[in-house]
Amino acid sequence: MFKSILLPTDGSELSDKATAMAVQFAQLHHARIVAVTVITPLAFASMGDSGAVIDSGQFAAQMQNAAKHHIEKVAVAARAADIPFEGVITMSPSPYEEIVEAAKKYECDIIMMASHGRRGLNRLFLGSETQKVLAHTTLPVMVLR
């Protein structure tokens, strides 16, 4: 039934747990895993005459290296379980849009993702990428807490 799993990952401990679950799920269904990491661009704020200046080139390089590391963690788990794997790194201020688009582009049947479990005012003000994915896809979404 499920032959292609989209697994968004941010390298967190929760994402690592989701990876382990996705690998087991993929083994059960003889499915492939497509892992996606979304880099959010550096937001610039006017600091006036005082404040720290961040080198955008250095920031981009660090984020790209971190993203490669996140994808490689999933690749290692998939290889160990002999599961077909593809890794994708994208950049966008809206991670949920990239996740939904990747699911379409790579013809995934299901999205499996970790939820960071924000509650109360944090959820209201910060939003939830998981909630946004749920609202903008027609695919089944397995939320791993």
Side-chain angles (χ1 to χ4, degrees):
M1 179 174 190
F2 299 111
K3 295 298 175 196
S4 186
I5 301 163
L6 185 76
L7 177 67
T9 182
D10 63 5
S12 67
E13 186 178 327
L14 286 173
S15 285
D16 291 347
K17 289 179 181 179
T19 296
M21 293 288 284
V23 165
Q24 289 178 1
F25 192 85
Q27 284 177 312
L28 230 90
H29 292 274
H30 306 286
R32 74 178 178 138
I33 293 177
V34 177
V36 63
T37 292
V38 182
I39 299 170
T40 53
L42 179 62
F44 288 100
S46 175
M47 300 293 275
D49 288 336
S50 64
V53 177
I54 298 171
D55 180 336
S56 62
Q58 184 180 7
F59 174 82
Q62 288 175 345
M63 295 308 293
Q64 193 67 241
N65 287 337
K68 287 177 185 174
H69 178 70
H70 302 334
I71 293 295
E72 185 57 27
K73 286 198 295 187
V74 181
V76 166
R79 276 194 299 268
D82 199 29
I83 294 169
F85 171 80
E86 191 165 348
V88 180
I89 298 172
T90 65
M91 181 177 274
S92 174
S94 300
Y96 80 92
E97 289 176 347
E98 292 296 320
I99 292 166
V100 171
E101 285 306 310
K104 289 177 191 172
K105 181 177 178 179
Y106 294 94
E107 299 177 350
C108 296
D109 310 302
I110 187 169
I111 300 170
M112 295 182 73
M113 61 190 302
S115 172
H116 288 278
R118 289 189 181 115
R119 299 197 186 287
L121 291 177
N122 277 342
R123 177 185 284 169
L124 178 66
F125 291 122
L126 299 175
S128 162
E129 293 306 313
T130 305
Q131 291 287 41
K132 292 173 190 171
V133 169
L134 286 166
H136 290 91
T137 188
T138 58
L139 292 176
V141 178
M142 184 179 292
V143 180
L144 305 165
R145 298 189 70 129

